[in-house]
């Protein structure tokens, strides 16, 4: 990666004692990150169980289930930026320990919830803790690895994110087959205890040695703006419409507050984030690529779960196993992405990665109820390969654009754009899926009792539930629901692919190409070799 103008030629050296145990520290950071990412995906396979009446579940309604997921996302996304700033100021190890502790307490309380309201509250607490864990892991990584090893370490870090997304449904399926629904949260507690001990022993503390004065107005504006924006996105996904006043008001309000945040930061003598970084095309292109790829990918992950379970009839565990090729590709290629970037440059590698993701998403437009399993696995592997060649290079571009002392801020920007992009992908593409599905299925609901007709058109799960209650008379409705969903999935997949293609155009235009090879003696500053 090329070094942005203004960045120091040589960053301060990492202390020798820290350097020697850097890979063990990375293992602890991955472990901490894994449980946060895994838990965010594990709940999706448990929603049916939690919706069941006690003692199997807690009788949560569809709206309550959505907020059990969204309360986590809302708090998590709203606090990411602030959490990164606090890490830079008071110490990343302190923030990391506090975040993982809060996450563990929230997990234990969520497991013991007896009402949907309690579950929603404790999920929000888990999101609070997770917001301090995710940016801190990447910020610590930047402070224990020298610049030349950072791309490799970030590749491994990015691979662990993909692994968490993939094994979450598998873990959830296994736990639900053998234990009660609360086990999907309680399993976090022993993992958190191990992580806390390992962090206390291995992870060094670091912070910005000259953070300057606190910017309270900037912090407040960032929290309010992000919370309003993400709430509007979530609300739009719930209603499958972005024209309702309850959607437009928070969306517009969030954008206005974030615009005020930018205006304030540009004029502040002690800004929370230097807005001038966004004037660098490579930096802006990298954060845009992060948002766009997660917009496309989270949207397709959302509808692929319904395709595999509702249309194809696979269990939650089987569906999770089918996504393993995506995780495998990320674990294989993400740590090695730096080698390809060194040879071909970030622009070519990320553009090719975006095209692979777009091709994988477009392939869903060709799927039907009988598509062979090997084809599904191949498509997931292609998507994982594309992701593995996007996330490490763009994350390196973001993190190395900022001084090491501001690593928390860089990590917060990286994760905030990813979270907002993912939430927007689920909301927008979920709305497209819902709208197209309802339009296709309405013509087949003439035989459904009037009282159940509106409910039956909401989603394929709702249609299949009504058809099941109708007995033998509902069989034609099942076939119609499958056909309507596949048609809606085709439209949504093409929309996802189009977003990925926009991402490809952005990185092709603005990311740096292969840096010129500079011979020694021509002014290049080199650090002395260091023993591993």
């Amino acid at each position: 990666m090329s070094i942005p103008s203004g960045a120091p030629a040589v960053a301060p050296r990492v202390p020798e004692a820290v350097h020697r145990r850097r890979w063990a520290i990375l293992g602890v950071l991955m472990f901490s990150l894994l449980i946060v990412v895994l838990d965010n995906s594990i709940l999706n396979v448990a929603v049916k169980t939690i919706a069941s009446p006690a003692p199997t579940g807690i009788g949560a309604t569809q709206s309550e289930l959505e907020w059990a997921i969204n309360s986590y996302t809302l708090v998590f996304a709203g606090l990411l930026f602030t959490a990164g700033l606090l890490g830079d100021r008071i110490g990343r190890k302190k923030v990391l320990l506090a975040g993982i502790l809060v996450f563990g307490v929230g997990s234990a309380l969520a497991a013991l919830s007896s009402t949907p309201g309690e579950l929603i509250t404790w999920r929000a607490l888990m999101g609070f803790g997770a917001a301090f864990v995710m940016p801190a892991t990447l910020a610590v990584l930047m402070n224990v690895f020298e610049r030349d090893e950072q791309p490799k370490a970030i590749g491994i870090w990015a691979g662990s994110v993909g692994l968490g997304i993939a094994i979450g449904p598998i873990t959830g399926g296994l736990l639900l087959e053998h234990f009660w629904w609360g086990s999907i949260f309680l399993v976090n507690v022993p993992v958190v205890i191990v992580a806390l001990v390992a962090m206390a022993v291995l992870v060094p503390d670091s912070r910005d040695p000259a953070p300057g004065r606190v910017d309270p107005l900037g912090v407040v504006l960032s929290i309010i703006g992000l919370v309003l924006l993400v709430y509007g996105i979530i609300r739009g996904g719930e209603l499958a419409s972005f024209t309702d006043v309850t959607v437009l008001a928070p969306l517009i309000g969030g954008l206005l507050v974030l615009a005020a945040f930018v205006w304030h930061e540009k004029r502040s003598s002690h800004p929370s984030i230097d807005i001038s970084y966004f004037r660098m095309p490579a930096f802006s292109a990298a954060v845009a690529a992060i948002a766009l790829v997660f917009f496309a990918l989270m949207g397709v992950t959302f509808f692929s779960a319904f395709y595999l379970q509702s249309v194809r009839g696979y269990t939650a565990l089987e569906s999770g196993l089918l996504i393993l090729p995506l995780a495998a590709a990320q674990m294989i290629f993400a740590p090695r992405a730096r080698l390809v970037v060194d040879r071909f440059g970030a622009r070519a590698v990320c553009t090719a990665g975006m095209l692979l993701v777009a091709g994988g998403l477009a392939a869903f437009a060709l799927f039907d109820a009988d598509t062979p399993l090997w084809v599904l696995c191949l498509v997931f592997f292609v998507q994982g390969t594309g992701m593995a060649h996007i996330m490490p290079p763009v994350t390196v571009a973001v993190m190395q654009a900022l001084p090491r002392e501001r690593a928390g801020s860089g990590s917060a920007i990286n994760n905030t754009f990813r979270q907002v992009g993912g939430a927007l992908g689920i909301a927008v593409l979920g709305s497209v899926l819902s709208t197209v599905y309802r339009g296709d299925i309405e013509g087949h609901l003439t035989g459904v009792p009037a009282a159940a007709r509106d409910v039956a058109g909401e989603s394929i799960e709702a249609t299949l539930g009504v058809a099941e209650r109708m007995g033998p008379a509902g069989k034609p409705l099942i076939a119609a629901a499958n056909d309507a969903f596949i048609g809606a999935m085709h439209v949504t997949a093409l929309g996802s692919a189009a977003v990925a293609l926009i991402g490809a155009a952005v990185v092709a235009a603005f990311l740096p190409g292969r840096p010129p090879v500079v011979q020694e003696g021509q002014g290049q500053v080199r650090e002395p070799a260091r023993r591993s």
Side-chain angles (χ1 to χ4, degrees), residues 245-270:
V245 66
T246 61
V247 177
L248 287 175
L251 277 178
I252 294 172
L255 291 173
L256 289 175
V257 172
L258 290 175
F261 168 75
V262 172
W263 181 86
H264 168 73
E265 294 299 293
K266 289 173 70 175
R267 285 156 180 79
S268 174
S269 60
H270 50 286

Side-chain angles (χ1 to χ4, degrees), residues 156-376:
I156 297 172
W157 180 89
S160 69
V161 175
L163 180 64
I165 292 172
I167 69 173
I170 299 172
T171 306
L174 286 170
L175 290 171
L176 291 173
E177 282 188 3
H178 298 92
F179 305 101
W180 100 112
W181 68 268
S183 63
I184 66 171
F185 300 118
L186 197 62
V187 72
N188 293 332
V189 176
V191 179
V192 164
I193 293 172
V194 173
L196 285 171
V197 174
M199 283 180 209
V201 173
L202 289 173
V203 176
D205 203 2
S206 62
R207 61 178 179 175
D208 188 344
R213 287 187 294 156
V214 177
D215 177 24
L217 179 58
V219 169
V220 171
L221 288 174
S222 71
I223 293 174
I224 294 174
L226 286 169
V227 167
L228 285 174
L229 179 64
V230 175
Y231 175 80
I233 292 169
I234 290 171
R235 183 63 177 161
E238 286 180 344
L239 299 178
S241 169
F242 283 82
T243 58
D244 189 275
V245 66
T246 61
V247 177
L248 287 175
L251 277 178
I252 294 172
L255 291 173
L256 289 175
V257 172
L258 290 175
F261 168 75
V262 172
W263 181 86
H264 168 73
E265 294 299 293
K266 289 173 70 175
R267 285 156 180 79
S268 174
S269 60
H270 50 286
S272 297
I273 179 65
D274 189 347
I275 300 299
S276 65
Y277 284 111
F278 286 93
R279 297 196 188 107
M280 297 187 296
F283 182 87
S284 295
V287 294
I290 290 168
L292 289 169
V293 76
F294 269 84
F295 179 102
L297 195 72
M298 293 306 290
V300 78
T301 301
F302 175 76
F303 68 67
S304 65
F306 288 101
Y307 168 71
L308 293 172
Q309 294 184 45
S310 300
V311 176
R312 300 298 295 265
Y314 297 117
T315 65
L317 177 58
E318 290 168 339
S319 298
L321 289 171
L322 285 171
I323 303 177
L324 272 181
L326 186 146
Q330 292 210 49
M331 292 300 293
I332 292 168
F333 295 114
R336 296 168 174 81
R338 76 193 191 286
L339 303 175
V340 189
V341 171
D342 288 343
R343 180 165 184 177
F344 299 104
R347 180 189 302 157
V349 173
C350 290
T351 301
M354 279 287 193
L355 292 175
L356 283 176
V357 170
L361 295 171
F364 274 86
L366 304 175
F367 288 0
D368 56 32
D370 302 310
T371 300
L373 283 182
W374 70 265
V375 175
L376 297 179

Side-chain angles (χ1 to χ4, degrees), residues 111-139:
L112 301 175
S113 300
S114 58
T115 66
E118 290 179 5
L119 179 60
I120 292 169
T121 300
W122 304 134
R123 283 283 294 168
L125 183 63
M126 292 171 67
F128 184 94
F132 287 83
V133 172
M134 185 167 278
T137 59
L138 188 52

Side-chain angles (χ1 to χ4, degrees), residues 76-132:
F76 181 62
L79 290 177
L80 271 172
F81 183 72
T82 300
L85 295 177
L86 284 176
D88 284 345
R89 289 180 175 277
I90 68 175
R92 289 134 194 160
K93 180 176 181 177
K94 297 182 184 71
V95 166
L96 187 55
L97 287 169
I100 202 72
L101 179 62
V102 170
F103 184 84
V105 171
S107 298
L109 293 171
L112 301 175
S113 300
S114 58
T115 66
E118 290 179 5
L119 179 60
I120 292 169
T121 300
W122 304 134
R123 283 283 294 168
L125 183 63
M126 292 171 67
F128 184 94
F132 287 83

